[in-house]
Amino acid sequence: MTLILALETSCDDTCAAVITADGTLRSNVISSQGIHDAYGGVVPEIASRHHLELVNAAVDDALRRAGATLDEVGLVAVTQGPGLVGALLVGVASAKAIAAARGLPLAPVDHLQGHVAANFLRVDGGEPIIEPPFVCLLASGGHTLLAGVEDHDGFSVLGRTLDDAAGEAFDKGARLLGLPFPGGPALERLARDGDPQAFAFPVARGLVGLDFSFAGVKTALLYRVRDLGDDAAREQAADLAASYQHAIVEALALRCEQALEQTGVERLAIGGGVAANGALRARLRRLGVTLGIPPRELCTDNAAMIASAARYVRPQSFPAYLALDAYASGERALA
Ligand code: KG4
Ligand code: ZN
């Protein structure tokens, strides 16, 4: 069967993956650079340089793990944007080179559409995780939005964050609690030992429509940590983490519930790094609707989701795609 080889380098993970033409996952290589922790965030120029060093090895590894060679690849896919433009360019240039050398078509993929399309993958040889129509909560370090997914090749935005992304709220909260970057997983681990009801952090309920806001909860944590003082804040770090996580999860779950009500669709999927959060996954399972919850490694940035989205993108042929450029911002997939 013809294979799809995909690259994803929009942020700090150098990713390559192979899937079959029917969306069956064959390999999913994620090389986390792990060099940004010291800076408390991703340094774009450092990310680009590391992508350059890692990208060929990631592609080789993805092919090897898939038990495949380039001869079996019929389509190359790559994240075109949004993301860090220097980082994206490494993936785009590499994908062009592989495709051009082999005379293969190239499919440019929108990163957010990729997160949605993670749900169309067949994992362990089974059925796709969930099929449209569904509402999809996309919550990552750079984006938080509710997508109305009617079909495989696009989505409409039902609501979005007015300030911070949910992942950003996790990262900033983690920083206030002295945890390492990226903060989401670290904060989740700490929260396991804490009481989510210990502190009442605000859940932005008053917003009109389906938009989100996370600036208030972050500021509330900042003031609470200040009021407690260093020693008490350290002693109660687990309670602070659990309560803070609870407020973010509630805000996300509440909007999902409202979106399901508004659209009349009883199917919900999730994507983006925050979708890896166990408390969020447990909370959404209690909504009582049909759920699409990809495995954690398909929620955080990965190339398998880009390959999955590429199945529904019109590929470009040589030499047209040599002019393809990356884009840093925007949501190309808007309906
Ligand atoms: O989708 P992603 O891997 O990269 C972006 O496109 O941004 O998302 C990364 C974000 C980070 O903010 C990270 O802290 C958050 O997802 N994240 C989590 C968890 N794992 C990753 N947030 C909460 N709980 C987690 N387990
Ligand atoms: Zn992402």
Side-chain angles (χ1 to χ4, degrees):
M1 191 185 283
T2 332
L3 301 175
I4 303 173
L5 168 70
L7 276 70
E8 145 67 44
T9 63
S10 67
C11 194
D12 62 334
D13 295 319
T14 314
C15 312
V18 174
I19 70 168
T20 61
D22 75 345
T24 300
L25 187 63
R26 291 281 291 268
S27 68
N28 188 28
V29 172
I30 302 166
S31 176
S32 294
Q33 299 184 352
I35 36 154
H36 302 277
D37 309 17
Y39 305 99
V42 176
V43 184
E45 183 55 28
I46 294 181
S48 313
R49 285 163 195 247
H50 277 259
H51 283 311
L52 260 183
E53 284 172 16
L54 295 170
V55 69
N56 286 343
V59 168
D60 286 348
D61 204 20
L63 287 167
R64 192 179 49 78
R65 289 189 199 197
T69 66
L70 272 179
D71 291 337
E72 293 157 78
V73 173
L75 176 65
V76 180
V78 66
T79 309
Q80 189 185 7
L84 303 171
V85 80
L88 288 162
L89 282 173
V90 176
V92 168
S94 306
K96 282 180 188 174
I98 296 168
R102 291 269 154 175
L104 294 171
L106 185 77
V109 172
D110 180 87
H111 183 81
L112 299 176
Q113 181 64 32
H115 277 303
V116 171
N119 286 286
F120 307 146
L121 286 165
R122 296 169 196 270
V123 190
D124 300 329
E127 290 301 303
I129 294 163
I130 192 168
E131 295 272 24
F134 57 82
V135 169
C136 187
L137 170 68
L138 287 185
S140 71
H143 302 270
T144 294
L145 57 90
L146 274 165
V149 182
E150 296 281 334
D151 223 320
H152 290 93
D153 61 352
F155 59 83
S156 58
V157 176
L158 306 173
R160 58 154 53 83
T161 183
L162 301 174
D163 38 57
D164 290 349
E168 210 176 341
F170 269 104
D171 293 337
K172 288 178 176 171
R175 197 172 185 167
L176 287 170
L177 296 174
L179 299 171
F181 177 86
L187 196 141
E188 181 181 7
R189 271 194 301 279
L190 178 61
R192 276 185 206 132
D193 301 324
D195 173 8
Q197 310 297 339
F199 299 93
F201 289 121
V203 177
R205 294 170 199 275
L207 298 172
V208 183
L210 294 170
D211 289 336
F212 302 89
S213 168
F214 294 103
V217 67
K218 177 194 66 189
T219 310
L221 177 65
L222 173 74
Y223 288 152
R224 185 49 66 111
V225 168
R226 251 189 219 165
D227 292 348
L228 285 169
D230 283 352
D231 288 347
R234 212 171 301 122
E235 243 165 56
Q236 297 178 63
D239 284 346
L240 286 165
S243 304
Y244 185 71
Q245 173 175 268
H246 177 72
I248 297 175
V249 165
E250 277 309 304
L252 293 171
L254 220 80
R255 288 290 178 279
C256 287
E257 231 173 334
Q258 288 171 338
L260 292 166
E261 252 167 47
Q262 254 183 45
T263 56
V265 176
E266 297 199 334
R267 299 159 65 78
L268 177 69
I270 54 176
V274 178
N277 185 274
L280 176 66
R281 295 159 86 95
R283 175 70 174 81
L284 295 180
R285 283 199 180 95
R286 292 204 299 273
L287 289 179
V289 296
T290 305
L291 276 187
I293 301 195
R296 281 188 168 76
E297 64 277 13
L298 294 176
C299 287
T300 47
D301 285 350
N302 67 87
M305 70 185 197
I306 302 302
S308 176
R311 293 174 60 211
Y312 307 98
V313 167
R314 187 197 299 264
Q316 299 186 8
S317 50
F318 181 85
Y321 56 70
L322 294 181
L324 192 80
D325 215 348
Y327 54 90
S329 57
E331 285 150 13
R332 196 191 52 172
L334 297 195

